[in-house]
Amino acid sequence: MESSNLIFAFSLTLFAGLATGIGSIIGLLHKKFNPKFLAASLGFSAGVMIYVSLVEIFAKARFSLSEEYGNTMGYWYTVIAFFSGIAIIAIIDKLIPDVENPHEINKTRNYDTPKKHDKNKLMRMGLFSALAIGIHNFPEGLATFMAGLHTPTLGISIAVAIAIHNIPEGLAVSVPVYYATKSRKKAFVLSFLSGLAEPIGAIIGYFFLKWFFTDSVFGFVFAGVAGIMVYISLDELLPTAEEYGEHHVAIYGLISGMAVMALSLVLMA
């Protein structure tokens, strides 16, 4: 495996993870942002990730496993690995509850001088957000890294989609911490660190898998990654998009993301 491929895949993961910093900057420098644009962007990301997972990644995983185990068993293993990926991220979600709440975040923007009780509550919200987002970002980092390592163009699409997804996560961390501490530096650093979990997830995943990386292992991992991405899209991206904007804005973004991804795959064929 060429070092240039590894560097490229890791760079994509780093880019996606550090997008939390963009959300942090938006939250710290601007009192107002366009919720409809963010909703459309999140819907677009979901469309990209759902389409590419079900049409491209699942198909590649099935091909690899069918080559190794035959068509019938290969298909079965692909389906099992796909739903195993969903189960893994669902368990993480259950153990580490999602604390993103755009309405609560927006309410904090009205606090000019929060009381001590409110400051403590906001600080806990920010710290727990950073922890939850960091843990959620581990499998996302592995998904981006694996895609970039195997198919660079596919990796770029996934990295951009996850980067857009990470922007409101940065917002969720930085705003409550800033209002609790009045320190833009602390708010930005904490948000930035939560995004670093993504490249860390890629590194851990790579060093764990490289000792026994075969076409069969690739098929299982890719099918699991497809499941993880579909779950993230349905459980996080679309609900958050609807929280920030209107239902139809999120759906139009979703369809646009699917259409753009479909067109790009056709042009690459």
Side-chain angles (χ1 to χ4, degrees), residues 117-173:
H117 169 76
D118 295 325
K119 286 183 178 181
N120 292 337
K121 183 178 179 181
L122 290 171
M123 191 64 190
R124 286 197 302 271
M125 180 192 289
L127 290 173
F128 193 72
S129 295
L131 176 63
I133 288 167
I135 293 173
H136 279 98
N137 280 355
F138 262 80
E140 292 178 14
L142 180 61
T144 307
F145 182 79
M146 290 295 295
L149 201 60
H150 188 265
T151 310
T153 49
L154 182 62
I156 292 172
S157 300
I158 294 173
V160 171
I162 290 181
I164 294 173
H165 161 50
N166 283 348
I167 290 174
E169 292 186 338
L171 187 69
V173 175

Side-chain angles (χ1 to χ4, degrees), residues 59-109:
K60 286 181 180 293
R62 181 185 176 187
F63 177 80
S64 293
L65 292 174
S66 294
E67 288 282 295
E68 187 75 18
Y69 301 105
N71 288 332
T72 302
M73 288 307 300
Y75 200 171
W76 267 109
Y77 286 145
T78 306
V79 171
I80 292 170
F82 175 82
F83 284 102
S84 296
I86 291 177
I88 289 170
I89 192 66
I91 291 171
I92 292 174
D93 234 5
K94 186 72 174 178
L95 296 177
I96 309 295
D98 186 4
V99 294
E100 280 183 53
N101 191 325
H103 295 315
E104 290 299 318
I105 292 168
N106 288 335
K107 287 177 185 176
T108 65
R109 306 176 81 83

Side-chain angles (χ1 to χ4, degrees), residues 24 27-29 31 108-109 111-112 114 119 122-123 126 171-188 190:
S24 178
L28 297 175
L29 298 184
K31 291 185 177 180
T108 65
R109 306 176 81 83
Y111 294 155
D112 294 323
K119 286 183 178 181
L122 290 171
M123 191 64 190
L171 187 69
V173 175
S174 64
V175 172
V177 172
Y178 170 67
Y179 277 94
T181 64
K182 289 300 180 183
S183 171
R184 285 185 167 86
K185 182 179 179 181
K186 287 182 181 179
F188 179 79
L190 193 59

Side-chain angles (χ1 to χ4, degrees), residues 42 45-47 49-50 85-102 132 136 140 165 169 226-243 254:
L42 289 168
S45 295
M49 290 174 66
I50 291 172
I86 291 177
I88 289 170
I89 192 66
I91 291 171
I92 292 174
D93 234 5
K94 186 72 174 178
L95 296 177
I96 309 295
D98 186 4
V99 294
E100 280 183 53
N101 191 325
H136 279 98
E140 292 178 14
H165 161 50
E169 292 186 338
I228 288 171
M229 290 174 60
V230 168
Y231 184 91
I232 289 170
S233 298
L234 297 178
D235 184 65
E236 295 186 21
L237 287 177
L238 287 177
T240 306
E242 293 206 358
E243 287 281 356
L254 172 78

